[in-house]
Amino acid sequence: DGMNVLFIVVDDLRPVLGCYGDKLVKSPNIDQLASQSIVFSNAYAQQAVCAPSRVSFLTGRRPDTTRLYDFYSYWRVHAGNYSTLPQYFKENGYVTLSVGKVFHPGVSSNYSDDYPYSWSIPPFHPSTEKYENDKTCRGKDGKLYANLVCPVDVTEMPSGTLPDIQSTEEAIRLLNVMKSNKQKFFLAVGYHKPHIPLRYPQEFLKLYPLENITLAPDPWVPEKLPSVAYNPWTDIRQRDDVEALNVSFPYGPLPDDFQRQIRQSYYAAVSYLDMQVGLLLNALDDVGLSNSTIVVLTADHGWSLGEHGEWAKYSNFDVATRVPLMFYVPGMTTSSASQGERVFPYLDPFSHILGLVPQGRSKQVVELVSLFSTLAELAGLQVPPVCPETSFHVALCTEGASIVRYFNASEEKVEEKKDGCDDTSRCFSEEPVAFSQYPRPADTPQWNSDKPKLKDIRIMGYSMRTIDYRYTVWVRFNPNNFSADFEDVHAGELYMAETDPNQDYNIYNNTSHGCFLKKILG
């Protein structure tokens, strides 16, 4: 009959989760999902900012094909009338439902979250979303501020709730409706946290005593980082508590104690998110659908927590592009539970100590642009064809190959190192590659470096991640005809994963890298 799909998208979540080896973060419910799933430890977004990333994975096309690098155009009008992942399920007999932030709201999804193309009924947005950036954070002086760090008493919030709590409630309501309707469904649930402001119920701070919080392992700006690669975290600077610190532009740094507070609040927001995911999966058990529903959990991109002296996303580093990605497929990633047996009992992050080991783990390098074809294959639908080289006129095709072939961990062959293999031969091996890109308005950090509008983009950083290295070239870009000139390279970066996992030592200038460039152009 085909399975239902529960597609959970989190905003700005890097893989700081127990199931990804994080020793500090308490995420028992996501870890429990991971223990029944295939978990990808090297999954990457195509652009580390919300709208372009979401439009990319929901259409199965890369940003150069959606022509969206900012927030201000709708792909169906400005690029091509591309089918989306939920639209494809809808056309194949599924009821498709959207709760919370799935598409980025606004122009980039036609002010309608791409309804009615993608969804069977109008998408749900929490009524309290509109207070997201209001002055709801109580300062030490008792006054209210629009702060970055914002633990709150939920009962004092507008309507006595928070957006993600409302989204969970609505998603649970819809699961109950779907149970009684007996229709196949594709339910997408988009959670806001840990997106800034870091506003979450204050009790989650108890999980993270400040004395346990360390700084990033590399809180300095790397010496050989090209200035075009740096993101000056302007959205954070505009928050009341950060503004009060009077930090110099563009390199800061933020005071150490405040860095610890941001990290503490980010982790607290992740545990608050974990609670929402736990309640949602528990409800899937309650309605008896855990055995017939594929569950996917991922994020639109990562978030820097002080690495390289940077905060937020807006870069090509792993901390900004790497995301959690896991697939629970009943009968495939786990044996089917017997009738009445609970797969996802809710786990309280305040009392639960969990040491679950993931069911399967894949080290293969994969991309979010593959989600469309992967979910189609898992649901038993015909996998959309691979896009031709230019696909602006093709409604249904995908630029990301299905990754179902990696689900059986025992068959996985991560590229073996050849003895005495030099960089050049490794560069041409047929290993999987993840491509990301980021636009910049200039060679040096500007006030609009993080989020340049299309008309202001002058340089595009194309980045290629393999199991062995991350290679990035920053090249001239013409926003009028969307063309990149690879003859005009402004700067480059090369980091070797084994010796420099945090990407602090750029060896681009002391390496011959013609072969890397050929591969990025290929």
Side-chain angles (χ1 to χ4, degrees):
D1 261 358
M3 297 225 186
N4 306 309
V5 177
L6 174 57
F7 182 50
I8 304 170
V9 189
V10 187
D11 211 345
D12 291 21
L13 177 66
R14 58 190 262 165
V16 287
L17 298 162
C19 54
Y20 278 85
D22 194 289
K23 299 282 188 280
L24 187 67
V25 171
K26 294 180 173 59
S27 53
N29 294 289
I30 296 174
D31 297 347
Q32 178 171 255
L33 173 64
S35 75
Q36 307 283 329
S37 301
I38 171 94
V39 176
F40 286 90
S41 50
N42 285 301
Y44 296 91
Q46 276 45 78
Q47 191 181 323
V49 70
C50 307
S53 173
R54 289 163 188 262
V55 168
S56 169
F57 68 68
L58 289 165
T59 60
R61 319 275 183 132
R62 299 180 186 282
D64 279 348
T65 308
T66 65
R67 295 190 158 173
L68 180 69
Y69 314 104
D70 59 15
F71 298 81
Y72 308 106
S73 66
Y74 180 41
W75 77 91
R76 292 188 193 273
V77 174
H78 288 269
N81 191 16
Y82 311 143
S83 297
T84 68
L85 168 60
Q87 178 184 354
Y88 189 58
F89 273 77
K90 185 182 168 195
E91 287 164 357
N92 279 281
Y94 281 72
V95 177
T96 57
L97 307 158
S98 172
V99 172
K101 184 176 174 182
V102 180
F103 278 100
H104 191 86
V107 189
S108 62
S109 58
N110 203 31
Y111 298 100
S112 67
D113 298 275
D114 197 46
Y115 174 78
Y117 292 102
S118 288
W119 312 107
S120 304
I121 61 172
F124 169 87
H125 283 275
S127 61
T128 60
E129 227 174 49
K130 57 179 174 290
Y131 307 115
E132 198 60 354
N133 295 308
D134 287 8
K135 297 192 172 196
T136 53
C137 322
R138 204 166 287 290
K140 290 197 172 73
D141 57 6
K143 291 185 189 146
L144 292 176
Y145 295 92
N147 285 343
L148 168 63
V149 171
C150 187
V152 297
D153 178 342
V154 177
T155 61
E156 292 179 356
M157 291 299 100
S159 306
T161 187
L162 290 171
D164 285 345
I165 295 171
Q166 289 183 292
S167 291
T168 302
E169 287 165 355
E170 174 65 8
I172 291 171
R173 188 187 74 78
L174 288 170
L175 285 176
N176 281 289
V177 172
M178 287 299 107
K179 183 201 179 180
S180 47
N181 282 11
K182 296 190 168 38
Q183 282 175 289
K184 282 190 304 190
F185 63 83
F186 178 104
L187 169 58
V189 183
Y191 285 115
H192 283 266
K193 294 300 130 206
H195 193 287
I196 67 169
L198 298 168
R199 188 171 68 138
Y200 53 86
Q202 58 200 15
E203 58 269 23
F204 284 91
L205 272 177
K206 289 203 277 278
L207 295 172
Y208 302 100
L210 207 49
E211 60 269 21
N212 295 352
I213 307 296
T214 57
L215 297 181
D218 51 351
W220 64 86
V221 179
E223 194 185 330
K224 292 188 172 165
L225 181 73
S227 53
V228 69
Y230 183 80
N231 70 282
W233 32 281
T234 44
D235 59 349
I236 283 180
R237 294 169 190 273
Q238 287 152 22
R239 308 286 161 169
D240 292 349
D241 49 353
V242 179
E243 211 170 9
L245 295 168
N246 250 337
V247 181
S248 65
F249 184 88
Y251 295 110
L254 289 170
D256 286 3
D257 60 339
F258 195 75
Q259 292 194 36
R260 285 193 179 85
Q261 282 177 41
I262 298 176
R263 288 167 69 90
Q264 175 193 38
S265 272
Y266 185 88
Y267 303 146
V270 171
S271 290
Y272 159 58
L273 157 80
D274 181 78
M275 178 184 253
Q276 302 310 311
V277 172
L279 293 168
L280 177 61
L281 293 175
N282 185 62
L284 193 65
D285 267 356
D286 284 346
V287 293
L289 293 173
S290 300
N291 257 348
S292 54
T293 303
I294 295 163
V295 182
V296 191
L297 182 136
T298 192
D300 52 359
H301 43 71
W303 213 77
S304 302
L305 283 166
E307 294 87 358
H308 314 113
E310 293 178 315
W311 300 88
K313 46 254 184 183
Y314 316 123
S315 82
N316 280 319
F317 283 120
D318 276 15
V319 282
T321 55
R322 184 171 166 246
V323 291
L325 178 62
M326 59 191 76
F327 297 83
Y328 160 78
V329 188
M332 183 182 191
T333 62
T334 181
S335 54
S336 292
S338 51
Q339 203 54 42
E341 189 186 337
R342 296 191 76 82
V343 185
F344 303 120
Y346 173 73
L347 303 172
D348 181 353
F350 291 94
S351 60
H352 210 89
I353 288 120
L354 201 66
L356 286 175
V357 178
Q359 181 74 16
R361 179 175 286 283
S362 172
K363 291 201 177 83
Q364 290 288 3
V365 172
V366 296
E367 310 175 280
L368 289 187
V369 76
S370 292
L371 276 168
F372 193 155
S373 46
T374 303
L375 279 171
E377 182 174 343
L378 289 174
L381 305 179
Q382 196 170 348
V383 178
V386 174
C387 290
E389 195 159 322
T390 52
S391 62
F392 296 109
H393 306 295
V394 184
L396 181 66
C397 68
T398 168
E399 294 180 321
S402 166
I403 58 175
V404 175
R405 63 190 186 281
Y406 299 142
F407 276 37
N408 189 339
S410 63
E411 288 170 23
E412 176 175 309
K413 294 181 179 60
V414 174
E415 191 70 29
E416 293 299 316
K417 304 269 192 297
K418 299 166 198 71
D419 287 337
C421 139
D422 62 18
D423 281 347
T424 325
S425 65
R426 182 182 320 157
C427 170
F428 282 118
S429 64
E430 281 305 303
E431 59 189 329
V433 175
F435 293 101
S436 305
Q437 59 190 102
Y438 212 86
R440 293 283 188 239
D443 286 300
T444 53
Q446 311 293 313
W447 274 100
N448 64 338
S449 282
D450 292 352
K451 293 189 276 192
K453 290 184 172 163
L454 176 64
K455 66 177 175 52
D456 298 322
I457 297 171
R458 295 291 173 271
I459 302 162
M460 188 68 74
Y462 289 94
S463 193
M464 177 169 79
R465 178 69 155 92
T466 72
I467 207 80
D468 294 317
Y469 60 81
R470 179 175 283 287
Y471 170 74
T472 307
V473 277
W474 297 89
V475 301
R476 186 163 68 97
F477 183 83
N478 181 342
N480 301 318
N481 61 6
F482 300 92
S483 67
D485 181 1
F486 282 86
E487 305 282 290
D488 187 356
V489 176
H490 288 230
E493 298 168 80
L494 177 59
Y495 307 100
M496 303 314 286
E498 206 172 324
T499 50
D500 181 21
N502 297 329
Q503 301 167 0
D504 295 322
Y505 302 98
N506 178 14
I507 59 168
Y508 179 87
N509 285 339
N510 38 4
T511 318
S512 66
H513 37 73
C515 76
F516 296 108
L517 189 58
K518 282 198 190 84
K519 196 162 174 177
I520 224 166
L521 290 168

